[in-house]
Amino acid sequence: MAEEDAPEVELSGEQKKEIAKWFLLHSPGGEIQYVAKDVRSVLDDDGAYGEAASEAFPAYNKAQMICLDMPRGMGEVLITSFGELEENQFLDPRTAQVGIVDHVKQVCTDARPATDEELPSPYIEEFRCALDAEVLKYVGEAYPKGVCSVYSTKGKDVEGPGSDFELAVVIQAARNSPQNFCTGSWRSVWNIEFKDDIQILELRGKMQVGAHYFEEGNVQLDTKHECKDSTIFQSPEDCAISIASIIRHHETEYLGSLEYCCDAMNAGSTEKASSYSHPFPLA
């Protein structure tokens, strides 16, 4: 006698929310809106979906470090934990503006000037601004449509020499082409400790590359690399040049290793290795 089919179990609202949240958080870079549309349709529960979206989108946006245009031509703001002032307010250090963000719609709805308390001291800003200029130059040369920002993460109120402080460099570049069934992103974060007592800068870098190709299949790449380096404590301009040079060196080296692996895989296929085009070519 065949076993009877097990009775269907109705999921609770909380279970539906957690399932929807999982799918949203694990969306490939640049694809969460497409995933959200399908999840909402399948879930058929606007209440559970709304709760899932309100929790998942902020975490996803910060993890992907998405870049949004601020209104009235005020510039762009990166959505990162370094610039987060409140749940939906993010600082752009370059323009000293705070973007008001709708996470679910992924738009910046308004902006306001940052207060003095939200900005670093003039001494720290001198280092931050010099580094921002050098990193901006590097990103413009290295990553098509790349964006970057430099944040003061510790000791932002230091008024002069004699104390340690920290800055963070964030770099993001994305190529999203869903109509061609592919998306890709580069994200890197560099934490720099300025150790005044020993006159040393210590750098910790984390690079992450994500890619998704889904024409007649579903292939994803999610790779990470971490590294450390150091240089001497100098003037703001000299520190900026040294830091940018270190970042360029490590990121070029890592991208080169990825290109080598992809070329090797292509060489083993029916296509020639030379047909491979890296999504983030360096100049």
Side-chain angles (χ1 to χ4, degrees):
M1 181 177 178
E3 295 183 5
E4 296 183 2
D5 292 337
E8 292 186 3
V9 177
E10 180 69 23
L11 296 175
S12 67
E14 181 65 22
Q15 288 174 316
K16 290 180 179 179
K17 184 197 82 171
E18 290 301 318
I19 292 171
K21 184 178 173 182
W22 187 93
F23 277 103
L24 293 172
L25 286 171
H26 290 81
S27 304
E31 297 181 43
I32 190 171
Q33 294 293 352
Y34 301 99
V35 174
K37 183 178 179 180
D38 290 340
V39 166
R40 187 170 193 169
S41 176
V42 172
L43 200 62
D44 195 24
D45 186 329
D46 285 347
Y49 170 79
E51 290 183 27
S54 66
E55 294 179 17
F57 269 87
Y60 178 90
N61 292 340
K62 287 183 284 186
Q64 293 293 325
M65 301 191 297
I66 68 169
C67 181
L68 300 176
D69 291 323
M70 289 189 284
R72 301 183 293 279
M74 292 182 176
E76 300 172 323
V77 59
L78 276 169
I79 309 305
T80 77
S81 58
F82 300 109
E84 186 174 24
L85 302 177
E86 295 181 19
E87 186 178 2
N88 66 334
Q89 298 190 21
F90 293 83
L91 172 68
D92 174 43
R94 188 177 300 131
T95 61
Q97 294 289 319
V98 176
I100 314 300
V101 173
D102 183 324
H103 279 289
V104 176
K105 293 182 179 179
Q106 293 185 312
V107 296
C108 185
T109 59
D110 201 0
R112 64 168 176 82
T115 65
D116 290 342
E117 291 73 23
E118 293 167 338
L119 297 173
S121 68
Y123 174 72
I124 299 299
E125 178 61 15
E126 192 174 2
F127 283 90
R128 192 212 66 78
C129 188
L131 180 55
D132 185 57
E134 287 297 322
V135 173
L136 189 62
K137 186 190 307 180
Y138 156 63
V139 170
E141 296 170 352
Y143 300 101
K145 298 183 180 179
V147 290
C148 62
S149 194
V150 180
Y151 301 90
S152 173
T153 56
K154 184 178 179 181
K156 74 179 184 68
D157 297 323
V158 170
E159 295 291 348
S163 299
D164 299 347
F165 60 94
E166 295 182 18
L167 299 177
V169 173
V170 174
I171 299 172
Q172 185 257 47
R175 275 191 173 180
N176 298 321
S177 186
Q179 68 274 19
N180 293 316
F181 309 102
C182 61
T183 60
S185 66
W186 166 277
R187 287 162 284 162
S188 59
V189 175
W190 293 86
N191 297 97
I192 306 108
E193 295 182 63
F194 290 72
K195 298 190 173 183
D196 187 273
D197 55 341
I198 57 175
Q199 292 292 289
I200 290 292
L201 309 186
E202 293 187 353
L203 289 80
R204 302 187 314 278
K206 181 177 181 180
M207 293 158 269
Q208 185 169 0
V209 175
H212 184 207
Y213 183 75
F214 48 99
E215 183 177 21
E216 299 181 358
N218 187 1
V219 180
Q220 293 194 50
L221 169 72
D222 186 8
T223 179
K224 301 175 184 178
H225 175 67
E226 297 185 13
C227 61
K228 294 181 179 180
D229 212 320
S230 63
T231 186
I232 59 174
F233 200 133
Q234 307 169 79
S235 68
E237 292 76 15
D238 289 337
C239 280
I241 292 171
S242 295
I243 293 169
S245 178
I246 289 172
I247 292 174
R248 179 188 291 272
H249 167 74
H250 285 284
E251 295 195 352
T252 302
E253 188 174 65
Y254 182 49
L255 282 168
S257 69
L258 289 177
E259 287 187 286
Y260 177 82
C261 291
C262 290
D263 283 347
M265 287 190 290
N266 279 348
S269 70
T270 57
E271 299 178 1
K272 294 181 179 180
S274 59
S275 67
Y276 174 74
S277 176
H278 197 278
F280 306 107
L282 285 165

